[in-house]
Amino acid sequence: MTIEVDYRFPPNIDAFRQAKVIAIGQTAGTWDERFSHREDSLRSHLAEVINVKTDEQGYNIATVRFPEINVENDISSLLTMIFGKYSMAGVGKIVAVRLDNNYGQLPKFGITGIRQQLNVVDRPLIMAIFKPALGLSATDHATILEQVATAGLDIIKDDEIMGDLDTAPTLERLRACRPILDQIKQETGRTVLYAINVTGNAQTLLEKARILVQEGANALLLNVLTYGFSVLEALAADPEVNVPIFAHPALAGALCASGDTGFSYSVVLGTLMAHAGADAVLYPAHYGSLPFDPIEEQKIRDILRSRNVFPVPSAGIHPGIVPQALNDYGQDVILNAGTGIMDHPDGPSAGVQAFFQALDYYQADQSFNWETLPDSALRRALEKFNQS
Amino acid sequence: MTIEVDYRFPPNIDAFRQAKVIAIGQTAGTWDERFSHREDSLRSHLAEVINVKTDEQGYNIATVRFPEINVENDISSLLTMIFGKYSMAGVGKIVAVRLDNNYGQLPKFGITGIRQQLNVVDRPLIMAIFKPALGLSATDHATILEQVATAGLDIIKDDEIMGDLDTAPTLERLRACRPILDQIKQETGRTVLYAINVTGNAQTLLEKARILVQEGANALLLNVLTYGFSVLEALAADPEVNVPIFAHPALAGALCASGDTGFSYSVVLGTLMAHAGADAVLYPAHYGSLPFDPIEEQKIRDILRSRNVFPVPSAGIHPGIVPQALNDYGQDVILNAGTGIMDHPDGPSAGVQAFFQALDYYQADQSFNWETLPDSALRRALEKFNQS
């Protein structure tokens, strides 16, 4: 049972030396003869440098192996150990973390559980985001939900910046939206998930999550990086929170956008999220509106799936991207669109229809092009989004 | 009541344009005529670009003013708003955040409260760290504590990587150390604080903090950035946690070490910590063992003090640094030494004595030099640390 971490250093840095600093300084440290009676115990906590190699760009990658007895089977203590003080040395980036399968938590639901809840096994899931992000009332949310849910949407989520605000308090949003979810269920048998944003200080957030679930919330959204991995882990471990948790990547760029410091996106949005108990993880798609490396995106996808966590490529997703997304992802993906659904020229219902029409074409193995399409929600979407 | 954030962009980036993207994209977003009936509400959530200027290096700094109604008077929702999705654009760094005085939380104790507890008003406080960091038993901790507490130490803390581990579980460390603290109190009237590291998922961490305080813990240490600001806020808001909270900067480099992305250290370790309820905040001193910008260090010091939070310059602090530290800081500072106390050639007691001897020289307005000092704990410390 070990933990392996790859640290990448620029060519001018002595990677082996830095890795030794990490292996000792981030674990037991040094000791003198006063502690000779604890020699065995002290040694058992030391990490070791197990490899140093140079990549194609001349960067040096050092692998350090840490003992699992130093940490608490969670992400927070892991982060403190592998990068806590050393991160302030400012000369290395963590590009991979390898954990045992049983490190941390598995999702309560994940891909199979969410599919089971929705009773959808043979296609990707379509997810929308309430827009505008702030300023609508709880009733406005219910109106929008009715439009998209009736049109066949699988999942909707709050915008990540929609907290527990006076204009539309969280519990009011739930109480306004829950009857729509019930109505869809009754009329069509379909389950639609609403991932409601859970916020507050850690104590109030955990209490609020339980209250929301008691009041009928069937999914939660958490900004894991602004609230803390320890909060995700607490939600994932809580038997009362028996609904899927959607992890939002807000703030990930502050940890991952630098070339030489911080973490690779695939570590934070892949490995750490997947071992902290998230059921589905959102992250930028490389064909979306945020700059993103396709290689990192693939890594995130594969890491998440290896633990049954649903990948949710996001940001700039619209119906025209469906063929490429499905080529890249296959079925086990949640396509998450904000304006790509809400800003459809004919309204959110048409936005949802356009996605399903695109899915139909793809599944029938037919390519589509807006100029040759018959008039349809899809054509109208492509006219707008393929050109913007 | 507003929130102002300074974003710094490299010279080749159109700062005004990016700031507009932030002001709209990180708040209400855009809307069309379907939402004209909510125009006033939507507008009230929008941020605005209030200034763009160019600094001496040619970097452009854009200031965006956000409405406080968008957030929940806490750090997590603030971070989601000011940098959540935008951080993944990867082109800007947050170099300052200005919050109203009543935003967030004030420390329960802070400088005045901690001084009152210790009954020390006229000098800096001296703090040590248990070393080696991992591998000692709870009894070993008690032995070390006795040595340093008897020598006059004010505060001791766990190493930040010492969690709730089998070799020395947290509650066992407390139970072994608490009698020493009581004994010192009884024999000398002095209070010595032991900032014990509180860990776990958010739920267990908050429960553990209450149990530790019930069992006699008189201070807590929290790795705020690996556990989450929301956890610090919950501890600070909890009336049962009526002990000072020492905030450790572990992982700060992952957020702050990059020149063009993430945050300035003074934002994370100054502004955010000070508004999240920390009583004392540790950070690297620029004359210590980690590279650190003296300007950032000054900003952290001043921001913390402006809210009565104790600045705790750390990393590489030893008795030889006392004169410079006190010139920079004056009295209201906690000098935090790990190996600078524990690795004194004559042991930890001598390490503490050396600090107090250095303080005495400084307060008597006398400079000192190891070559001319009489044989003393201070001279022995200088011989070792000034040369290493």
Side-chain angles (χ1 to χ4, degrees), chain B residues 268-299:
Chain B
V268 171
L269 301 180
T271 311
L272 302 184
M273 291 288 188
H275 286 262
D279 293 284
V281 178
L282 285 72
Y283 54 88
H286 75 275
Y287 24 77
S289 50
L290 291 167
F292 214 71
D293 176 3
I295 306 288
E296 282 298 298
E297 186 185 349
Q298 283 172 33
K299 282 187 190 167

PDB file of all heavy atoms in Angstrom, chain B residues 268-299:
ATOM      1  N   VAL B 268      -4.255  35.138  -0.259  1.00  0.00           N
ATOM      2  CA  VAL B 268      -4.658  33.870   0.365  1.00  0.00           C
ATOM      3  C   VAL B 268      -4.288  33.836   1.847  1.00  0.00           C
ATOM      4  O   VAL B 268      -5.121  33.504   2.700  1.00  0.00           O
ATOM      5  CB  VAL B 268      -4.022  32.674  -0.388  1.00  0.00           C
ATOM      6  CG1 VAL B 268      -4.253  31.365   0.369  1.00  0.00           C
ATOM      7  CG2 VAL B 268      -4.601  32.576  -1.795  1.00  0.00           C
ATOM      8  N   LEU B 269      -3.017  34.177   2.155  1.00  0.00           N
ATOM      9  CA  LEU B 269      -2.557  34.060   3.547  1.00  0.00           C
ATOM     10  C   LEU B 269      -2.843  35.324   4.355  1.00  0.00           C
ATOM     11  O   LEU B 269      -2.756  35.306   5.578  1.00  0.00           O
ATOM     12  CB  LEU B 269      -1.058  33.723   3.567  1.00  0.00           C
ATOM     13  CG  LEU B 269      -0.689  32.420   2.846  1.00  0.00           C
ATOM     14  CD1 LEU B 269       0.814  32.165   2.902  1.00  0.00           C
ATOM     15  CD2 LEU B 269      -1.462  31.242   3.438  1.00  0.00           C
ATOM     16  N   GLY B 270      -3.172  36.399   3.672  1.00  0.00           N
ATOM     17  CA  GLY B 270      -3.559  37.635   4.357  1.00  0.00           C
ATOM     18  C   GLY B 270      -5.078  37.777   4.373  1.00  0.00           C
ATOM     19  O   GLY B 270      -5.761  37.342   5.295  1.00  0.00           O
ATOM     20  N   THR B 271      -5.608  38.331   3.285  1.00  0.00           N
ATOM     21  CA  THR B 271      -7.025  38.719   3.238  1.00  0.00           C
ATOM     22  C   THR B 271      -7.981  37.553   3.534  1.00  0.00           C
ATOM     23  O   THR B 271      -8.878  37.676   4.378  1.00  0.00           O
ATOM     24  CB  THR B 271      -7.349  39.300   1.841  1.00  0.00           C
ATOM     25  OG1 THR B 271      -6.352  40.264   1.521  1.00  0.00           O
ATOM     26  CG2 THR B 271      -8.714  39.957   1.836  1.00  0.00           C
ATOM     27  N   LEU B 272      -7.798  36.447   2.825  1.00  0.00           N
ATOM     28  CA  LEU B 272      -8.792  35.369   2.971  1.00  0.00           C
ATOM     29  C   LEU B 272      -8.740  34.744   4.361  1.00  0.00           C
ATOM     30  O   LEU B 272      -9.767  34.491   4.991  1.00  0.00           O
ATOM     31  CB  LEU B 272      -8.597  34.315   1.871  1.00  0.00           C
ATOM     32  CG  LEU B 272      -8.686  34.827   0.424  1.00  0.00           C
ATOM     33  CD1 LEU B 272      -8.563  33.674  -0.569  1.00  0.00           C
ATOM     34  CD2 LEU B 272      -9.967  35.616   0.162  1.00  0.00           C
ATOM     35  N   MET B 273      -7.522  34.487   4.855  1.00  0.00           N
ATOM     36  CA  MET B 273      -7.392  33.918   6.201  1.00  0.00           C
ATOM     37  C   MET B 273      -7.977  34.880   7.252  1.00  0.00           C
ATOM     38  O   MET B 273      -8.642  34.458   8.204  1.00  0.00           O
ATOM     39  CB  MET B 273      -5.921  33.672   6.533  1.00  0.00           C
ATOM     40  CG  MET B 273      -5.269  32.551   5.730  1.00  0.00           C
ATOM     41  SD  MET B 273      -5.836  30.917   6.238  1.00  0.00           S
ATOM     42  CE  MET B 273      -4.686  29.901   5.281  1.00  0.00           C
ATOM     43  N   ALA B 274      -7.697  36.170   7.071  1.00  0.00           N
ATOM     44  CA  ALA B 274      -8.110  37.153   8.078  1.00  0.00           C
ATOM     45  C   ALA B 274      -9.621  37.340   8.112  1.00  0.00           C
ATOM     46  O   ALA B 274     -10.181  37.711   9.140  1.00  0.00           O
ATOM     47  CB  ALA B 274      -7.417  38.488   7.817  1.00  0.00           C
ATOM     48  N   HIS B 275     -10.281  37.095   6.992  1.00  0.00           N
ATOM     49  CA  HIS B 275     -11.748  37.230   6.966  1.00  0.00           C
ATOM     50  C   HIS B 275     -12.454  35.899   7.209  1.00  0.00           C
ATOM     51  O   HIS B 275     -13.678  35.842   7.186  1.00  0.00           O
ATOM     52  CB  HIS B 275     -12.204  37.853   5.643  1.00  0.00           C
ATOM     53  CG  HIS B 275     -11.920  39.328   5.555  1.00  0.00           C
ATOM     54  ND1 HIS B 275     -12.868  40.295   5.831  1.00  0.00           N
ATOM     55  CD2 HIS B 275     -10.791  40.009   5.248  1.00  0.00           C
ATOM     56  CE1 HIS B 275     -12.328  41.508   5.686  1.00  0.00           C
ATOM     57  NE2 HIS B 275     -11.067  41.360   5.323  1.00  0.00           N
ATOM     58  N   ALA B 276     -11.690  34.828   7.383  1.00  0.00           N
ATOM     59  CA  ALA B 276     -12.302  33.513   7.603  1.00  0.00           C
ATOM     60  C   ALA B 276     -12.284  33.121   9.078  1.00  0.00           C
ATOM     61  O   ALA B 276     -12.786  32.065   9.441  1.00  0.00           O
ATOM     62  CB  ALA B 276     -11.588  32.443   6.776  1.00  0.00           C
ATOM     63  N   GLY B 277     -11.703  33.979   9.933  1.00  0.00           N
ATOM     64  CA  GLY B 277     -11.789  33.723  11.366  1.00  0.00           C
ATOM     65  C   GLY B 277     -10.565  33.117  12.024  1.00  0.00           C
ATOM     66  O   GLY B 277     -10.629  32.723  13.190  1.00  0.00           O
ATOM     67  N   ALA B 278      -9.430  33.059  11.317  1.00  0.00           N
ATOM     68  CA  ALA B 278      -8.202  32.550  11.948  1.00  0.00           C
ATOM     69  C   ALA B 278      -7.750  33.493  13.063  1.00  0.00           C
ATOM     70  O   ALA B 278      -7.915  34.709  12.953  1.00  0.00           O
ATOM     71  CB  ALA B 278      -7.092  32.420  10.904  1.00  0.00           C
ATOM     72  N   ASP B 279      -7.175  32.933  14.120  1.00  0.00           N
ATOM     73  CA  ASP B 279      -6.615  33.751  15.194  1.00  0.00           C
ATOM     74  C   ASP B 279      -5.154  34.082  14.950  1.00  0.00           C
ATOM     75  O   ASP B 279      -4.670  35.121  15.402  1.00  0.00           O
ATOM     76  CB  ASP B 279      -6.756  33.014  16.528  1.00  0.00           C
ATOM     77  CG  ASP B 279      -8.208  32.872  16.934  1.00  0.00           C
ATOM     78  OD1 ASP B 279      -8.773  33.876  17.382  1.00  0.00           O
ATOM     79  OD2 ASP B 279      -8.779  31.785  16.757  1.00  0.00           O
ATOM     80  N   ALA B 280      -4.461  33.204  14.274  1.00  0.00           N
ATOM     81  CA  ALA B 280      -3.041  33.405  13.968  1.00  0.00           C
ATOM     82  C   ALA B 280      -2.779  32.686  12.654  1.00  0.00           C
ATOM     83  O   ALA B 280      -3.352  31.619  12.408  1.00  0.00           O
ATOM     84  CB  ALA B 280      -2.164  32.837  15.075  1.00  0.00           C
ATOM     85  N   VAL B 281      -1.946  33.275  11.817  1.00  0.00           N
ATOM     86  CA  VAL B 281      -1.691  32.680  10.500  1.00  0.00           C
ATOM     87  C   VAL B 281      -0.189  32.515  10.293  1.00  0.00           C
ATOM     88  O   VAL B 281       0.575  33.478  10.410  1.00  0.00           O
ATOM     89  CB  VAL B 281      -2.285  33.541   9.364  1.00  0.00           C
ATOM     90  CG1 VAL B 281      -1.969  32.923   8.005  1.00  0.00           C
ATOM     91  CG2 VAL B 281      -3.789  33.709   9.540  1.00  0.00           C
ATOM     92  N   LEU B 282       0.218  31.296   9.990  1.00  0.00           N
ATOM     93  CA  LEU B 282       1.624  31.011   9.681  1.00  0.00           C
ATOM     94  C   LEU B 282       1.885  31.269   8.201  1.00  0.00           C
ATOM     95  O   LEU B 282       1.002  31.031   7.357  1.00  0.00           O
ATOM     96  CB  LEU B 282       1.941  29.551   9.972  1.00  0.00           C
ATOM     97  CG  LEU B 282       2.091  29.135  11.440  1.00  0.00           C
ATOM     98  CD1 LEU B 282       0.758  29.111  12.160  1.00  0.00           C
ATOM     99  CD2 LEU B 282       2.768  27.775  11.531  1.00  0.00           C
ATOM    100  N   TYR B 283       3.083  31.743   7.899  1.00  0.00           N
ATOM    101  CA  TYR B 283       3.477  31.937   6.498  1.00  0.00           C
ATOM    102  C   TYR B 283       5.002  32.028   6.458  1.00  0.00           C
ATOM    103  O   TYR B 283       5.642  32.297   7.482  1.00  0.00           O
ATOM    104  CB  TYR B 283       2.830  33.203   5.917  1.00  0.00           C
ATOM    105  CG  TYR B 283       3.099  34.429   6.734  1.00  0.00           C
ATOM    106  CD1 TYR B 283       4.224  35.207   6.520  1.00  0.00           C
ATOM    107  CD2 TYR B 283       2.245  34.794   7.770  1.00  0.00           C
ATOM    108  CE1 TYR B 283       4.500  36.312   7.295  1.00  0.00           C
ATOM    109  CE2 TYR B 283       2.506  35.899   8.559  1.00  0.00           C
ATOM    110  CZ  TYR B 283       3.628  36.653   8.313  1.00  0.00           C
ATOM    111  OH  TYR B 283       3.902  37.738   9.099  1.00  0.00           O
ATOM    112  N   PRO B 284       5.591  31.811   5.287  1.00  0.00           N
ATOM    113  CA  PRO B 284       7.054  31.821   5.218  1.00  0.00           C
ATOM    114  C   PRO B 284       7.617  33.236   5.412  1.00  0.00           C
ATOM    115  O   PRO B 284       7.129  34.190   4.812  1.00  0.00           O
ATOM    116  CB  PRO B 284       7.342  31.334   3.783  1.00  0.00           C
ATOM    117  CG  PRO B 284       6.075  30.730   3.290  1.00  0.00           C
ATOM    118  CD  PRO B 284       4.978  31.428   3.999  1.00  0.00           C
ATOM    119  N   ALA B 285       8.615  33.345   6.258  1.00  0.00           N
ATOM    120  CA  ALA B 285       9.346  34.607   6.395  1.00  0.00           C
ATOM    121  C   ALA B 285      10.346  34.696   5.245  1.00  0.00           C
ATOM    122  O   ALA B 285      10.885  33.678   4.810  1.00  0.00           O
ATOM    123  CB  ALA B 285      10.081  34.643   7.722  1.00  0.00           C
ATOM    124  N   HIS B 286      10.594  35.915   4.768  1.00  0.00           N
ATOM    125  CA  HIS B 286      11.471  36.016   3.595  1.00  0.00           C
ATOM    126  C   HIS B 286      12.927  35.724   3.950  1.00  0.00           C
ATOM    127  O   HIS B 286      13.723  35.445   3.074  1.00  0.00           O
ATOM    128  CB  HIS B 286      11.336  37.382   2.921  1.00  0.00           C
ATOM    129  CG  HIS B 286      12.005  38.507   3.638  1.00  0.00           C
ATOM    130  ND1 HIS B 286      11.396  39.200   4.656  1.00  0.00           N
ATOM    131  CD2 HIS B 286      13.225  39.068   3.483  1.00  0.00           C
ATOM    132  CE1 HIS B 286      12.204  40.139   5.090  1.00  0.00           C
ATOM    133  NE2 HIS B 286      13.323  40.088   4.410  1.00  0.00           N
ATOM    134  N   TYR B 287      13.263  35.763   5.242  1.00  0.00           N
ATOM    135  CA  TYR B 287      14.635  35.404   5.607  1.00  0.00           C
ATOM    136  C   TYR B 287      14.714  33.955   6.057  1.00  0.00           C
ATOM    137  O   TYR B 287      15.667  33.542   6.695  1.00  0.00           O
ATOM    138  CB  TYR B 287      15.202  36.314   6.701  1.00  0.00           C
ATOM    139  CG  TYR B 287      14.181  36.974   7.561  1.00  0.00           C
ATOM    140  CD1 TYR B 287      13.523  36.267   8.567  1.00  0.00           C
ATOM    141  CD2 TYR B 287      13.845  38.307   7.365  1.00  0.00           C
ATOM    142  CE1 TYR B 287      12.576  36.872   9.348  1.00  0.00           C
ATOM    143  CE2 TYR B 287      12.882  38.915   8.149  1.00  0.00           C
ATOM    144  CZ  TYR B 287      12.256  38.206   9.140  1.00  0.00           C
ATOM    145  OH  TYR B 287      11.300  38.803   9.915  1.00  0.00           O
ATOM    146  N   GLY B 288      13.688  33.196   5.760  1.00  0.00           N
ATOM    147  CA  GLY B 288      13.663  31.795   6.174  1.00  0.00           C
ATOM    148  C   GLY B 288      14.163  30.875   5.091  1.00  0.00           C
ATOM    149  O   GLY B 288      14.917  31.271   4.203  1.00  0.00           O
ATOM    150  N   SER B 289      13.699  29.622   5.158  1.00  0.00           N
ATOM    151  CA  SER B 289      14.233  28.597   4.268  1.00  0.00           C
ATOM    152  C   SER B 289      13.453  28.473   2.960  1.00  0.00           C
ATOM    153  O   SER B 289      13.836  27.722   2.080  1.00  0.00           O
ATOM    154  CB  SER B 289      14.226  27.252   4.999  1.00  0.00           C
ATOM    155  OG  SER B 289      12.953  27.011   5.568  1.00  0.00           O
ATOM    156  N   LEU B 290      12.336  29.191   2.825  1.00  0.00           N
ATOM    157  CA  LEU B 290      11.585  29.154   1.572  1.00  0.00           C
ATOM    158  C   LEU B 290      11.700  30.504   0.881  1.00  0.00           C
ATOM    159  O   LEU B 290      11.773  31.538   1.538  1.00  0.00           O
ATOM    160  CB  LEU B 290      10.107  28.844   1.859  1.00  0.00           C
ATOM    161  CG  LEU B 290       9.798  27.431   2.357  1.00  0.00           C
ATOM    162  CD1 LEU B 290       8.393  27.344   2.907  1.00  0.00           C
ATOM    163  CD2 LEU B 290       9.990  26.407   1.245  1.00  0.00           C
ATOM    164  N   PRO B 291      11.711  30.503  -0.447  1.00  0.00           N
ATOM    165  CA  PRO B 291      11.831  31.774  -1.164  1.00  0.00           C
ATOM    166  C   PRO B 291      10.556  32.563  -0.941  1.00  0.00           C
ATOM    167  O   PRO B 291       9.471  32.031  -1.107  1.00  0.00           O
ATOM    168  CB  PRO B 291      11.926  31.342  -2.632  1.00  0.00           C
ATOM    169  CG  PRO B 291      11.226  30.016  -2.689  1.00  0.00           C
ATOM    170  CD  PRO B 291      11.428  29.370  -1.348  1.00  0.00           C
ATOM    171  N   PHE B 292      10.652  33.804  -0.555  1.00  0.00           N
ATOM    172  CA  PHE B 292       9.438  34.573  -0.291  1.00  0.00           C
ATOM    173  C   PHE B 292       9.729  36.043  -0.504  1.00  0.00           C
ATOM    174  O   PHE B 292      10.786  36.538  -0.145  1.00  0.00           O
ATOM    175  CB  PHE B 292       8.934  34.312   1.143  1.00  0.00           C
ATOM    176  CG  PHE B 292       7.436  34.343   1.251  1.00  0.00           C
ATOM    177  CD1 PHE B 292       6.664  33.322   0.714  1.00  0.00           C
ATOM    178  CD2 PHE B 292       6.792  35.413   1.860  1.00  0.00           C
ATOM    179  CE1 PHE B 292       5.277  33.360   0.794  1.00  0.00           C
ATOM    180  CE2 PHE B 292       5.411  35.453   1.942  1.00  0.00           C
ATOM    181  CZ  PHE B 292       4.650  34.426   1.415  1.00  0.00           C
ATOM    182  N   ASP B 293       8.772  36.718  -1.080  1.00  0.00           N
ATOM    183  CA  ASP B 293       8.925  38.135  -1.418  1.00  0.00           C
ATOM    184  C   ASP B 293       8.664  38.998  -0.176  1.00  0.00           C
ATOM    185  O   ASP B 293       7.594  38.921   0.426  1.00  0.00           O
ATOM    186  CB  ASP B 293       7.909  38.448  -2.527  1.00  0.00           C
ATOM    187  CG  ASP B 293       7.894  39.914  -2.909  1.00  0.00           C
ATOM    188  OD1 ASP B 293       8.701  40.684  -2.360  1.00  0.00           O
ATOM    189  OD2 ASP B 293       7.062  40.284  -3.755  1.00  0.00           O
ATOM    190  N   PRO B 294       9.644  39.823   0.224  1.00  0.00           N
ATOM    191  CA  PRO B 294       9.456  40.648   1.424  1.00  0.00           C
ATOM    192  C   PRO B 294       8.238  41.570   1.331  1.00  0.00           C
ATOM    193  O   PRO B 294       7.589  41.846   2.351  1.00  0.00           O
ATOM    194  CB  PRO B 294      10.740  41.490   1.502  1.00  0.00           C
ATOM    195  CG  PRO B 294      11.696  40.906   0.543  1.00  0.00           C
ATOM    196  CD  PRO B 294      10.958  40.003  -0.392  1.00  0.00           C
ATOM    197  N   ILE B 295       7.907  42.025   0.137  1.00  0.00           N
ATOM    198  CA  ILE B 295       6.744  42.901  -0.020  1.00  0.00           C
ATOM    199  C   ILE B 295       5.451  42.136   0.298  1.00  0.00           C
ATOM    200  O   ILE B 295       4.570  42.628   1.005  1.00  0.00           O
ATOM    201  CB  ILE B 295       6.658  43.445  -1.473  1.00  0.00           C
ATOM    202  CG1 ILE B 295       7.968  44.118  -1.887  1.00  0.00           C
ATOM    203  CG2 ILE B 295       5.465  44.377  -1.627  1.00  0.00           C
ATOM    204  CD1 ILE B 295       8.218  45.445  -1.228  1.00  0.00           C
ATOM    205  N   GLU B 296       5.373  40.912  -0.219  1.00  0.00           N
ATOM    206  CA  GLU B 296       4.203  40.086   0.092  1.00  0.00           C
ATOM    207  C   GLU B 296       4.135  39.810   1.592  1.00  0.00           C
ATOM    208  O   GLU B 296       3.065  39.816   2.189  1.00  0.00           O
ATOM    209  CB  GLU B 296       4.265  38.751  -0.673  1.00  0.00           C
ATOM    210  CG  GLU B 296       3.882  38.838  -2.131  1.00  0.00           C
ATOM    211  CD  GLU B 296       2.435  39.287  -2.342  1.00  0.00           C
ATOM    212  OE1 GLU B 296       1.518  38.589  -1.906  1.00  0.00           O
ATOM    213  OE2 GLU B 296       2.245  40.372  -2.934  1.00  0.00           O
ATOM    214  N   GLU B 297       5.298  39.554   2.185  1.00  0.00           N
ATOM    215  CA  GLU B 297       5.329  39.271   3.620  1.00  0.00           C
ATOM    216  C   GLU B 297       4.803  40.469   4.420  1.00  0.00           C
ATOM    217  O   GLU B 297       4.004  40.308   5.342  1.00  0.00           O
ATOM    218  CB  GLU B 297       6.756  38.918   4.055  1.00  0.00           C
ATOM    219  CG  GLU B 297       6.818  38.474   5.509  1.00  0.00           C
ATOM    220  CD  GLU B 297       8.239  38.233   5.992  1.00  0.00           C
ATOM    221  OE1 GLU B 297       9.164  38.198   5.156  1.00  0.00           O
ATOM    222  OE2 GLU B 297       8.421  38.086   7.213  1.00  0.00           O
ATOM    223  N   GLN B 298       5.240  41.663   4.044  1.00  0.00           N
ATOM    224  CA  GLN B 298       4.743  42.871   4.728  1.00  0.00           C
ATOM    225  C   GLN B 298       3.245  43.023   4.579  1.00  0.00           C
ATOM    226  O   GLN B 298       2.542  43.397   5.520  1.00  0.00           O
ATOM    227  CB  GLN B 298       5.414  44.117   4.150  1.00  0.00           C
ATOM    228  CG  GLN B 298       6.830  44.344   4.633  1.00  0.00           C
ATOM    229  CD  GLN B 298       7.492  45.476   3.862  1.00  0.00           C
ATOM    230  OE1 GLN B 298       6.839  46.432   3.445  1.00  0.00           O
ATOM    231  NE2 GLN B 298       8.793  45.377   3.671  1.00  0.00           N
ATOM    232  N   LYS B 299       2.769  42.752   3.370  1.00  0.00           N
ATOM    233  CA  LYS B 299       1.322  42.875   3.146  1.00  0.00           C
ATOM    234  C   LYS B 299       0.554  41.893   4.030  1.00  0.00           C
ATOM    235  O   LYS B 299      -0.453  42.244   4.635  1.00  0.00           O
ATOM    236  CB  LYS B 299       0.988  42.593   1.674  1.00  0.00           C
ATOM    237  CG  LYS B 299       1.292  43.739   0.731  1.00  0.00           C
ATOM    238  CD  LYS B 299       0.763  43.389  -0.659  1.00  0.00           C
ATOM    239  CE  LYS B 299       1.245  44.387  -1.695  1.00  0.00           C
ATOM    240  NZ  LYS B 299       1.009  43.895  -3.071  1.00  0.00           N
TER     241      LYS B 299
END
